Amino acid sequence: MTDWTRPAGQGPSDGGLVPDFDRLPASDLRNRIRSLTLEQLRELLAHEEGHGRRADVVELLRARMELLAASQGLPPAGPDRPGADSGAGPGRE
């Protein structure tokens, strides 16, 4: 799995999916995730849900995944697909 905790240029995360991912606000991530595949987005979402749990970043990743899935003719993420949940969670009750 990718090491998300190190800044770019300082170890294994250099050249990772999104350098400095854990430190970037959603507004900066918006453009950086556009070139990622659905699987890469799932990996980032799983990381964020397990570590930072930034609501705005989770929402951004899910929205991008839905858009990408729709553009590829795939069904939207659901409870049986990785990186998706029932919608419940902190702030969603």
Side-chain angles (χ1 to χ4, degrees):
M1 182 166 269
T2 306
D3 180 356
W4 304 98
T5 60
R6 297 177 188 257
Q10 293 186 8
S13 70
D14 187 31
L17 293 177
V18 180
D20 296 324
F21 177 79
D22 286 332
R23 293 178 177 86
L24 293 172
S27 58
D28 289 347
L29 288 171
R30 186 174 318 279
N31 288 330
R32 294 183 188 210
I33 65 171
R34 285 189 179 161
S35 64
L36 300 181
T37 66
L38 196 52
E39 189 56 40
Q40 290 170 323
L41 290 167
R42 285 187 185 119
E43 186 177 337
L44 283 178
L45 180 60
H47 170 77
E48 187 61 30
E49 288 177 332
H51 295 88
R53 297 187 183 125
R54 298 172 288 176
D56 55 342
V57 172
V58 169
E59 183 177 329
L60 172 67
L61 292 169
R62 286 186 177 155
R64 179 64 186 151
M65 288 170 62
E66 292 293 325
L67 183 66
L68 190 56
S71 74
Q72 295 175 0
L74 300 172
D80 59 333
R81 294 183 52 124
D85 63 23
S86 63
R92 295 183 149 202
E93 301 171 272

